[in-house]
Amino acid sequence: MFIRTRLTLWFLLILTLLLAAFSITIYQLTDNHLLTWVDQDVRKQAATLQKDIHFCPGTTRLCVPRINVFRTPDVYLQVRSLNGTVLASSSNLEQHTLPILSGTAATGQVKEMSVDNLLLFVYCQPILINHQLQGYVIAAHAPQTIYYALIQLKNILIPGVVEAFVFVGIVVWLLVWRAMRPLESLAITAGEIAAAKDHSRRLFSRKHNDEINRLVHTINGMLQALEEAYQE
């Protein structure tokens, strides 16, 4: 295997690892950021609604404000009493009922679950009035838009990595070939000198003071020594 081939393959291997690590890092950071945003959003929605719930004047019945999610159609809100009765729901829920997560390890946590075949991130916040539990505010967020964005990101990263790999591979091959071309010229000239047994010939030195030029001077010195030896 030629040196330029080995150098190109090693460089491409390193490039592949770097591009893979970069793509995975970008995807994971985006995924974590979006899911963290969903977690914070459902908590904020539930807390905002819970603050506006109070006892109706002169009664122990909960007064729930009108729930408006027009600006966030992917968010679902519902208020339920202790016995599970639905007191209010956002209009986008229609006849669906969100689950109460109280009394389980999921209380106080955002849980991903399927509700009537719809994947939701659900958060349940207790309604406390005068330190007494009166009901629950349930907030849910549909992550379909987020998952679609992650799929689109993956569809961009994978072809991008492949295209970058091919492009950089071609560029590296050309650069290595250009860097190694003087060595091929030296090998051809040295072969001609050996075949003709003409120790008076010399290799052409390069303008650049690099490793190849030092090799040229070394071979020329060896040829000079051989020529002097034969003359004796």
Side-chain angles (χ1 to χ4, degrees), residues 1-14 169 172-173 175-177 179-180 183:
M1 183 182 292
F2 293 116
I3 295 177
R4 63 172 176 265
T5 303
R6 293 201 299 269
L7 289 175
T8 303
L9 291 177
W10 272 109
F11 188 88
L12 290 179
L13 176 61
I14 295 172
V172 170
W173 175 266
L175 290 176
V176 173
W177 173 80
M180 300 296 294
L183 289 178

Side-chain angles (χ1 to χ4, degrees), residues 197-212:
K197 297 182 180 180
D198 183 5
H199 301 117
S200 64
R201 289 184 59 181
R202 299 292 183 267
L203 301 176
F204 293 104
S205 61
R206 291 160 48 89
K207 296 180 180 180
H208 306 289
N209 186 22
D210 54 13
E211 291 82 356
I212 296 178

Side-chain angles (χ1 to χ4, degrees), residues 1-218:
M1 183 182 292
F2 293 116
I3 295 177
R4 63 172 176 265
T5 303
R6 293 201 299 269
L7 289 175
T8 303
L9 291 177
W10 272 109
F11 188 88
L12 290 179
L13 176 61
I14 295 172
L15 177 66
T16 301
L17 295 177
L18 290 176
L19 288 176
F22 172 78
S23 300
I24 293 173
T25 300
I26 291 296
Y27 183 85
Q28 290 296 334
L29 287 176
T30 304
D31 180 49
N32 292 336
H33 175 75
L34 291 176
L35 295 183
T36 299
W37 175 79
V38 170
D39 185 288
Q40 295 174 347
D41 183 62
V42 292
R43 292 176 185 274
K44 179 180 177 182
Q45 295 283 353
T48 301
L49 179 57
Q50 193 269 344
K51 291 179 181 178
D52 294 331
I53 298 176
H54 56 275
F55 284 134
C56 296
T59 69
T60 58
R61 184 170 56 88
L62 293 178
C63 285
V64 181
R66 183 175 180 272
I67 301 176
N68 181 15
V69 292
F70 178 74
R71 294 183 180 179
T72 53
D74 290 338
V75 175
Y76 304 88
L77 294 172
Q78 192 169 77
V79 179
R80 298 178 67 180
S81 64
L82 286 176
N83 59 13
T85 303
V86 176
L87 302 179
S89 297
S90 55
S91 58
N92 55 359
L93 265 176
E94 298 177 352
Q95 302 300 320
H96 299 286
T97 301
L98 296 177
I100 297 176
L101 303 179
S102 63
T104 68
T107 302
Q109 298 178 353
V110 177
K111 184 177 181 181
E112 186 177 10
M113 59 194 309
S114 178
V115 178
D116 296 333
N117 297 322
L118 178 64
L119 187 63
L120 296 173
F121 282 87
V122 181
Y123 174 68
C124 182
Q125 177 164 323
I127 301 174
L128 298 176
I129 300 178
N130 297 328
H131 306 289
Q132 295 293 323
L133 180 63
Q134 303 296 332
Y136 303 95
V137 173
I138 308 169
H141 192 119
Q144 281 74 13
T145 303
I146 292 174
Y147 287 152
Y148 176 77
L150 291 174
I151 292 174
Q152 292 299 104
L153 176 62
K154 186 184 297 184
N155 292 337
I156 293 173
L157 288 175
I158 293 177
V161 168
V162 174
E163 291 175 3
F165 179 84
V166 173
F167 175 76
V168 174
I170 295 174
V171 172
V172 170
W173 175 266
L174 293 175
L175 290 176
V176 173
W177 173 80
R178 182 177 180 182
M180 300 296 294
R181 187 169 57 178
L183 289 178
E184 294 182 359
S185 178
L186 291 180
I188 293 174
T189 304
E192 292 174 351
I193 293 174
K197 297 182 180 180
D198 183 5
H199 301 117
S200 64
R201 289 184 59 181
R202 299 292 183 267
L203 301 176
F204 293 104
S205 61
R206 291 160 48 89
K207 296 180 180 180
H208 306 289
N209 186 22
D210 54 13
E211 291 82 356
I212 296 178
N213 196 44
R214 291 200 295 271
L215 177 62
V216 169
H217 287 297
T218 301

